[in-house]
């Protein structure tokens, strides 16, 4: 796990290959649902907008993610590279989860990331929409590799 003073490769400026690596590393970290681990990918003063919530710093990120994953049970996420430039990456994402009543949801969205020179994310903006789905409509059923699920163009 990175400390406050260590970066996280790959470092900007990004190439198509290194941007893809960064996206999949984020996907894998978020799928651990471990807020203490996930927050270490962000600068200590990282700025977030997650839908209508504004956060700053690792402590706020960890608290936010803790509440998120308490509410979003069965969470499984896939991220794909949308675009990149020197120190910025944009991603599509889809994740599935169920609520306290057992209703399944799929969240569709986009994220805009800005990185510090050390490879830690210093800014994250997320916009997403939740869509009710049935158990049968789920893509990420137990044991499936989220990277192998075909996602048609209508979902991009």
């Amino acid at each position: 796990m990175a400390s406050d003073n260590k970066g996280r490769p790959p470092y900007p400026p990004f190439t198509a290959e290194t941007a893809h690596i960064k996206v999949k590393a984020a996907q894998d970290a978020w799928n651990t649902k471990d807020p203490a681990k996930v927050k270490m990918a962000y600068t200590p003063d990282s700025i977030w907008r997650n839908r209508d919530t504004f956060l700053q710093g690792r402590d706020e990120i960890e608290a936010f993610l803790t509440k998120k994953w308490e509410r979003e049970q069965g969470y499984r996420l896939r991220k794909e590279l949308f675009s990149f430039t020197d120190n910025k990456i944009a991603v599509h994402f889809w994740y599935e989860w169920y609520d306290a009543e057992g209703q399944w949801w799929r969240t569709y969205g986009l994220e805009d990331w800005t990185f510090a020179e050390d490879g830690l994310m210093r800014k994250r903006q997320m916009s997403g929409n939740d869509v009710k789905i049935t158990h049968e409509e789920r893509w990420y059923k137990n044991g499936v590799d989220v990277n192998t699920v075909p996602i048609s163009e209508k979902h991009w």
Side-chain angles (χ1 to χ4, degrees), residues 30 35 38-39 48 61-70:
W30 279 62
V38 172
K39 77 174 184 179
W48 276 32
I61 291 168
E62 183 174 8
F64 174 84
L65 292 174
T66 298
K67 288 178 187 171
K68 170 187 176 60
W69 288 321
E70 286 171 356

Side-chain angles (χ1 to χ4, degrees), residues 50-137:
N50 197 94
R51 301 181 196 237
D52 62 350
T53 302
F54 295 82
L55 309 168
Q56 185 165 10
R58 288 181 176 162
D59 291 342
E60 289 184 18
I61 291 168
E62 183 174 8
F64 174 84
L65 292 174
T66 298
K67 288 178 187 171
K68 170 187 176 60
W69 288 321
E70 286 171 356
R71 184 176 70 87
E72 296 177 353
Q73 296 296 302
Y75 178 93
R76 299 281 308 276
L77 165 72
R78 178 163 163 187
K79 292 181 184 277
E80 292 294 340
L81 179 64
F82 180 74
S83 182
F84 72 95
T85 186
D86 294 338
N87 70 334
K88 295 183 179 193
I89 295 175
V91 299
H92 291 282
F93 68 84
W94 310 263
Y95 65 86
E96 294 176 350
W97 54 283
Y98 63 89
D99 62 24
E101 289 76 40
Q103 172 63 57
W104 279 96
W105 299 85
R106 182 176 303 124
T107 301
Y108 294 81
L110 296 167
E111 291 179 321
D112 170 15
W113 303 340
T114 303
F115 291 88
E117 290 180 5
D118 65 0
L120 295 176
M121 196 182 304
R122 68 176 186 82
K123 183 178 168 191
R124 173 184 174 268
Q125 297 185 81
M126 179 277 227
S127 296
N129 299 294
D130 300 323
V131 177
K132 282 185 181 182
I133 59 172
T134 65
H135 179 77
E136 293 73 27
E137 292 173 304

